[in-house]
Amino acid sequence: MFTHLPPSEYRGRIEAVRRRLADTDAGAATWFNATSIAYLTGFHHIQTERPVLLCITPDHVAVTVPRLEVERVEPNEHIQTVIHYFDYPGGNPIRTAAGMLEDLGIDRIAADMDGAPGTMGYDGPPLSDFLDVESQGWVDRMRYAKSDREVALIRESSRWANLGHRYLADFTLPGAHPATVSQRASMEASRAMLDTLGDQYLPRVRGDGPVHAGFINAEQTALPHGHTANRRLQFGDGIITGATANVDGYFSELERTMFVGEASDEDEHYFELMLEAQTIAIETCGPGVDVAAVDQAVWDYFDEQGVTELAQHHVGHNIGLEGHEPPYIDRGNDETMEPGHVYTIEPGLYTADAGYRHSDTVLITEEGTERLTYFPRSLDENVIR
Amino acid sequence: MFTHLPPSEYRGRIEAVRRRLADTDAGAATWFNATSIAYLTGFHHIQTERPVLLCITPDHVAVTVPRLEVERVEPNEHIQTVIHYFDYPGGNPIRTAAGMLEDLGIDRIAADMDGAPGTMGYDGPPLSDFLDVESQGWVDRMRYAKSDREVALIRESSRWANLGHRYLADFTLPGAHPATVSQRASMEASRAMLDTLGDQYLPRVRGDGPVHAGFINAEQTALPHGHTANRRLQFGDGIITGATANVDGYFSELERTMFVGEASDEDEHYFELMLEAQTIAIETCGPGVDVAAVDQAVWDYFDEQGVTELAQHHVGHNIGLEGHEPPYIDRGNDETMEPGHVYTIEPGLYTADAGYRHSDTVLITEEGTERLTYFPRSLDENVIR
């Protein structure tokens, strides 16, 4: 049972960054992006108006943080120096970070961004006011392929997503409120996960549980990013579900098109087209396959069936520390699938009244693929009776 | 009962933007930021790797969206033209948006950002590859002071936050799991809100409820942004709560330091210092008051009490469409409080073992202040017996 990454993973990532750094004229590489900082060091923080700057030199790792992160980052074994400013804006975050770089003897950096992102109204000077800056996007690319240990976390996430999803189906009845069903399923699955994992569980959420299971309903299913309508469930309603669990910051994705009591003939028609499209997409995936080919295979099927007008988005995306990650499975993308990539496969069809979409999390292996989410996909098993 | 903004609010905002535009050499103003787009038009979308560009000219409002947002934006009465690309990256979002601007006869824009933000690995060209770009940050500044109707939504949010918080307190017992207490309180309060508001409720959340109430516990309270520890509650535990509700996209903030069964002498000591600091901060607030003066008043009190070493952050922040918004109540900030600003007031103290922080949402009025969150603040009323 793997529920968190070992220190060796972070050491390997830092070494990989140092190899890239050696090919530049910069004395250090830096990151403002919270996800990249978590990826490289295991130090997770919420990206807010308070900038955090991680700096990796050939022989040192240093970070500038707001005062309120000091106690969380100090025990981190991968970070040797912690500098802080009291708060934003009076603490002059960028000046503090530039001072840290100067103290390390750095006069040129390879940076993920020249200045901190404008999150929550943040506004401040670029690092290039203080030293030479060249740009790098190393971590985004490093994150494409997951290690075996990362895959194990996404696999663990899939297990708890499945439980949350099962509870969703169990609690779904005519007359029930979709928000209540969603929140109750999240609560019950989170409790089971926390009690099962015990001290193997690494806290990564605040004032909430690690499992989220929910659905959208009524006319909102016709919108791929619909909201939860304030309307109790009725016999014959279609719903589109979603379930995931946070396992040391990693996520899976499981979505199903389900029906309360029964599916209409029209529902059945579009459901089967969607299901076949998903099957085609999964079967097309594999190592060395162009992502564009997977999206094209679904498009060709939709075209053959005369339903391209009902498609609203491409087939899927990589997933890991973020819910959406590149590469995107899109006809206009020239990336290739490689072992360790973990994709959501989720072609959808949307009429004026309703949407039809499953999403499964699929690992690209050396030999082919493995579906990590395993809730049943057939219509019969997704009509809640 | 005000649960959503009327169309006149959006018209007023668009007109305010047009007045600023008239003072520039640009033919249109543009925004990539999802919150700014929601603020100006009421079109809410999730900021992802798929860019959305809003464009306001002196007599037209146009937007470029990914295909999957078309049905959501088309009914919007404030937007006259909807252009879409199929998906990212193949649909060439920026080229599509630049084409929209060209079709409108625009060759120079005042933009919130030159290119779309790098959310979820998005990577693409700047708009300045296609036309002249000057920079503007109008909306961030417009959002500082809330209108009466915006304040009404934050007031409504405070009511449901209070209910969620009351449920939190009710469900908090020795032996209970903090995640389960949090999720159950969110579920029950969301259900009450949805059933109370009925068709006055505007859906703004997906697969979840509109109320979130939760807490952090155990050693995590010593971290201002702590996580939920996987440990059942014990008699004598301190917890730090948080509750809010989404009302047409607007939020309030309510946090309390509470104790399960009883507070130790040390807990009582720091609680009372924190409470007095919060009272001082609230009493210092008012129209025409420098935000720095409020932060300084708390700092002076902490200094007098010899506890500045236990402070880890400034006093608070503006709040509205985002959980944190400028201006920040910080000694190094030269902004001034004005009627319509809505601030969280949340000075905290953090020992090695535990944290002490209340947060209340306070409106600056013409005459002084009004506290919008109203859960009791005293120690006696925050020991759960």
Side-chain angles (χ1 to χ4, degrees):
Chain A
M1 180 174 73
F2 293 118
T3 56
H4 49 267
L5 291 180
S8 58
E9 289 272 319
Y10 296 106
R11 286 196 293 267
R13 293 166 181 181
I14 291 169
E15 285 312 312
V17 158
R18 284 179 171 145
R19 286 192 295 275
R20 286 168 175 79
L21 180 60
D23 291 334
T24 73
D25 295 327
T30 63
W31 290 266
F32 280 117
N33 180 278
T35 308
S36 296
I37 293 170
Y39 178 81
L40 290 169
T41 66
F43 163 48
H44 286 246
H45 75 284
I46 309 168
Q47 189 111 40
T48 69
E49 74 284 357
R50 297 173 170 113
V52 169
L53 186 76
L54 177 73
C55 165
I56 299 182
T57 79
D59 58 5
H60 204 80
V61 178
V63 69
T64 295
V65 296
R67 174 65 191 87
L68 62 77
E69 296 289 0
V70 170
E71 278 74 9
R72 180 147 49 186
V73 70
E74 276 185 338
N76 188 296
E77 66 184 283
H78 308 291
I79 298 173
Q80 287 87 48
T81 299
V82 178
I83 303 292
H84 76 266
Y85 61 90
F86 187 76
D87 216 332
Y88 169 82
N92 286 310
I94 303 304
R95 189 177 299 274
T96 304
M100 173 184 81
L101 296 169
E102 189 182 343
D103 289 347
L104 290 167
I106 309 293
D107 57 13
R108 182 182 180 83
I109 54 172
D112 70 334
M113 297 177 229
D114 188 10
T119 312
M120 298 174 167
Y122 167 81
D123 189 25
L127 285 166
S128 52
D129 280 1
F130 299 89
L131 75 178
D132 291 337
V133 175
E134 61 185 86
S135 126
Q136 53 82 11
W138 300 332
V139 165
D140 278 358
R141 173 64 63 161
M142 287 165 63
R143 286 169 51 203
Y144 282 16
K146 276 70 182 173
S147 70
D148 290 348
R149 288 298 292 262
E150 288 178 287
V151 170
L153 300 186
I154 299 173
R155 196 185 301 277
E156 185 73 18
S157 172
S158 301
R159 292 157 51 95
W160 301 110
N162 199 70
L163 182 67
H165 200 274
R166 174 50 61 197
Y167 287 151
L168 265 189
D170 284 354
F171 302 155
T172 293
L173 295 168
H177 196 291
T180 304
V181 172
S182 296
Q183 293 183 292
R184 186 174 163 212
S186 300
M187 175 177 74
E188 299 290 354
S190 291
R191 179 156 60 182
M193 176 176 166
L194 291 162
D195 284 342
T196 301
L197 299 186
D199 63 8
Q200 299 298 301
Y201 170 77
L202 204 59
R204 290 282 182 228
V205 299
R206 180 180 176 203
D208 202 356
V211 182
H212 270 263
F215 58 79
I216 55 175
N217 61 308
E219 72 283 353
Q220 295 282 332
T221 68
L223 307 171
H225 285 181
H227 291 136
T228 300
N230 189 14
R231 201 176 84 183
R232 283 175 158 65
L233 294 169
Q234 298 171 15
F235 186 85
D237 272 357
I239 60 180
I240 297 184
T241 67
T244 191
N246 184 329
V247 179
D248 197 8
Y250 285 80
F251 294 93
S252 58
E253 182 173 303
L254 166 63
E255 298 180 359
R256 289 290 179 267
T257 300
M258 305 185 89
F259 301 95
V260 182
E262 74 173 14
S264 68
D265 290 347
E266 181 175 318
D267 286 332
E268 187 170 336
H269 173 68
Y270 290 115
F271 183 101
E272 295 296 351
L273 288 174
M274 174 277 291
L275 186 65
E276 178 63 15
Q278 197 200 24
T279 301
I280 289 169
I282 293 172
E283 290 177 350
T284 309
C285 290
V289 173
D290 292 339
V291 295
V294 177
D295 200 36
Q296 188 66 49
V298 166
W299 190 261
D300 289 345
Y301 175 69
F302 284 163
D303 193 31
E304 176 192 312
Q305 298 291 328
V307 293
T308 54
E309 288 299 309
L310 306 184
Q312 297 196 10
H313 54 76
H314 54 214
V315 161
H317 51 78
N318 206 337
I319 186 168
L321 283 171
E322 288 183 294
H324 293 195
E325 296 185 354
Y328 291 93
I329 303 180
D330 189 279
R331 280 172 286 154
N333 196 357
D334 61 7
E335 304 281 354
T336 301
M337 293 185 163
E338 293 174 19
H341 289 195
V342 180
Y343 289 100
T344 69
I345 303 295
E346 48 175 327
L349 290 171
Y350 304 88
T351 70
D353 303 317
Y356 304 86
R357 181 182 67 251
H358 284 356
S359 181
D360 279 283
T361 302
V362 172
L363 168 68
I364 309 300
T365 66
E366 296 287 345
E367 297 77 31
T369 62
E370 179 189 347
R371 186 155 64 94
L372 301 182
T373 43
Y374 49 87
F375 199 86
R377 297 166 60 232
S378 74
L379 177 65
D380 186 57
E381 289 166 298
N382 283 286
V383 177
I384 301 168
R385 294 183 182 94
Chain B
M1 181 173 73
F2 293 118
T3 56
H4 50 267
L5 291 180
S8 58
E9 289 272 318
Y10 297 106
R11 285 196 293 267
R13 294 166 181 181
I14 291 169
E15 286 311 313
V17 158
R18 285 179 169 146
R19 287 193 295 275
R20 287 168 175 77
L21 180 61
D23 292 335
T24 73
D25 296 327
T30 63
W31 290 266
F32 280 117
N33 180 279
T35 309
S36 296
I37 294 170
Y39 178 82
L40 290 169
T41 66
F43 163 48
H44 285 246
H45 75 283
I46 308 168
Q47 189 112 41
T48 70
E49 75 284 357
R50 298 173 169 113
V52 170
L53 186 75
L54 177 72
C55 165
I56 299 182
T57 78
D59 57 8
H60 204 80
V61 179
V63 69
T64 294
V65 297
R67 174 66 191 85
L68 63 76
E69 297 290 0
V70 169
E71 278 74 10
R72 180 145 52 186
V73 70
E74 276 185 337
N76 188 295
E77 65 184 284
H78 308 291
I79 299 173
Q80 287 87 46
T81 299
V82 179
I83 303 292
H84 75 267
Y85 59 91
F86 187 76
D87 215 334
Y88 170 82
N92 287 311
I94 302 304
R95 189 177 300 272
T96 305
M100 173 183 80
L101 295 169
E102 189 183 344
D103 288 347
L104 290 167
I106 309 292
D107 57 14
R108 181 181 180 85
I109 54 172
D112 70 333
M113 299 177 229
D114 187 10
T119 311
M120 299 174 165
Y122 166 80
D123 190 23
L127 285 167
S128 52
D129 280 1
F130 299 89
L131 74 178
D132 291 335
V133 176
E134 61 185 85
S135 128
Q136 52 82 9
W138 300 332
V139 165
D140 279 358
R141 172 65 63 160
M142 287 166 63
R143 285 169 51 202
Y144 282 16
K146 277 70 184 172
S147 70
D148 291 348
R149 286 298 293 261
E150 288 178 286
V151 169
L153 300 186
I154 299 173
R155 196 185 300 277
E156 185 73 17
S157 171
S158 301
R159 293 157 50 97
W160 301 110
N162 199 70
L163 181 68
H165 200 275
R166 173 50 62 197
Y167 287 150
L168 265 189
D170 283 353
F171 302 154
T172 294
L173 295 167
H177 196 291
T180 304
V181 172
S182 296
Q183 292 182 292
R184 187 175 162 211
S186 300
M187 175 177 73
E188 298 291 355
S190 291
R191 179 157 58 182
M193 177 176 165
L194 291 161
D195 284 342
T196 300
L197 299 187
D199 63 9
Q200 297 299 300
Y201 170 77
L202 203 59
R204 289 284 182 228
V205 300
R206 180 181 176 204
D208 201 358
V211 182
H212 269 262
F215 59 79
I216 56 174
N217 60 309
E219 71 285 351
Q220 294 282 335
T221 67
L223 306 171
H225 285 180
H227 291 137
T228 300
N230 188 14
R231 202 177 83 184
R232 282 176 157 64
L233 294 168
Q234 298 171 14
F235 186 85
D237 272 357
I239 60 179
I240 296 185
T241 67
T244 192
N246 185 329
V247 179
D248 197 8
Y250 284 80
F251 294 94
S252 58
E253 181 173 302
L254 166 64
E255 299 181 358
R256 288 292 179 266
T257 300
M258 306 187 88
F259 302 95
V260 182
E262 73 174 14
S264 68
D265 290 347
E266 181 175 318
D267 284 333
E268 186 170 337
H269 173 68
Y270 289 115
F271 183 101
E272 295 296 351
L273 289 174
M274 173 276 290
L275 186 64
E276 178 62 15
Q278 197 200 24
T279 301
I280 288 169
I282 293 172
E283 289 177 352
T284 307
C285 291
V289 173
D290 292 338
V291 293
V294 177
D295 200 36
Q296 189 65 50
V298 167
W299 189 261
D300 290 345
Y301 174 68
F302 283 163
D303 193 32
E304 175 193 311
Q305 298 291 329
V307 293
T308 54
E309 288 299 308
L310 307 184
Q312 296 196 12
H313 54 75
H314 54 213
V315 161
H317 51 77
N318 205 338
I319 187 169
L321 283 171
E322 289 184 294
H324 292 196
E325 296 184 355
Y328 291 94
I329 302 181
D330 188 281
R331 280 171 287 153
N333 197 356
D334 61 5
E335 304 281 354
T336 301
M337 293 183 164
E338 293 174 17
H341 289 195
V342 180
Y343 289 101
T344 68
I345 303 294
E346 48 176 326
L349 290 171
Y350 304 87
T351 71
D353 303 317
Y356 305 87
R357 181 184 66 251
H358 283 356
S359 182
D360 280 283
T361 302
V362 173
L363 168 68
I364 309 300
T365 65
E366 295 287 347
E367 299 76 31
T369 61
E370 180 189 347
R371 185 154 65 93
L372 301 182
T373 44
Y374 48 88
F375 199 86
R377 295 166 61 231
S378 74
L379 179 64
D380 187 56
E381 289 166 298
N382 283 285
V383 177
I384 301 167
R385 295 187 181 89

